Amino acid sequence: QVRLVESGGGLVQPGGSLRLSCVASEFSMDYYVTGWFRQAPGKEREGVSYITSDDLTYYRDSVKGRFMISRDYAEYTVYLQMDRLKPEDSAIYYCAMGRQPSLLARDYDTWGQGTRVTVSS
């Protein structure tokens, strides 16, 4: 069973940047896509971005042009660079692995524990 560990969250002022990391415990041929999700208090978990094994990427509209997903195959790591952060980006961010490209949480079956991002002045 692949394990995922997120890091990089924290408190940042509006307009600032953070880079989240998602490290997998091992390489697995079972999974085709790694996604980033977020969940704010009282809200449903929503998909933010994903990257496939052949480097296809996708973003939800509200983060396009501000967030960038990338991966380091040698380090089993997927990154989420977040720039021009807004208070509405505040949430716990999770990475997850799945078998088909999607921003739907139900399509992912391996999840990390999450890292908190707070955007506030």
Side-chain angles (χ1 to χ4, degrees):
Q1 179 79 21
V2 176
R3 296 183 303 278
L4 302 175
V5 178
E6 303 96 333
S7 63
L11 173 64
V12 63
Q13 292 186 342
S17 298
L18 284 173
R19 188 177 78 158
L20 306 184
S21 299
C22 170
V23 181
S25 59
E26 61 188 88
F27 172 76
S28 173
M29 290 290 290
D30 292 337
Y31 296 108
Y32 176 65
V33 58
T34 302
W36 281 99
F37 293 79
R38 65 188 181 187
Q39 188 166 19
K43 295 187 177 181
E44 293 187 356
R45 190 169 299 189
E46 63 181 19
V48 176
S49 178
Y50 66 72
I51 185 167
T52 67
S53 296
D54 38 17
D55 290 332
L56 297 176
T57 60
Y58 189 83
Y59 302 89
R60 70 180 297 111
D61 287 346
S62 62
V63 307
K64 286 180 180 177
R66 300 188 298 121
F67 291 11
M68 179 175 291
I69 193 169
S70 62
R71 69 191 312 148
D72 182 332
Y73 286 95
E75 298 296 328
Y76 302 158
T77 301
V78 171
Y79 301 101
L80 185 68
Q81 177 67 42
M82 306 187 296
D83 298 322
R84 291 185 282 140
L85 283 160
K86 303 176 181 181
E88 52 263 42
D89 295 318
S90 297
I92 297 175
Y93 282 70
Y94 301 88
C95 68
M97 299 184 79
R99 293 175 174 80
Q100 62 177 7
S102 168
L103 287 184
L104 298 176
R106 66 171 180 255
D107 290 329
Y108 293 76
D109 51 28
T110 297
W111 292 81
Q113 83 291 345
T115 184
R116 184 179 298 274
V117 172
T118 303
V119 185
S120 175
S121 55

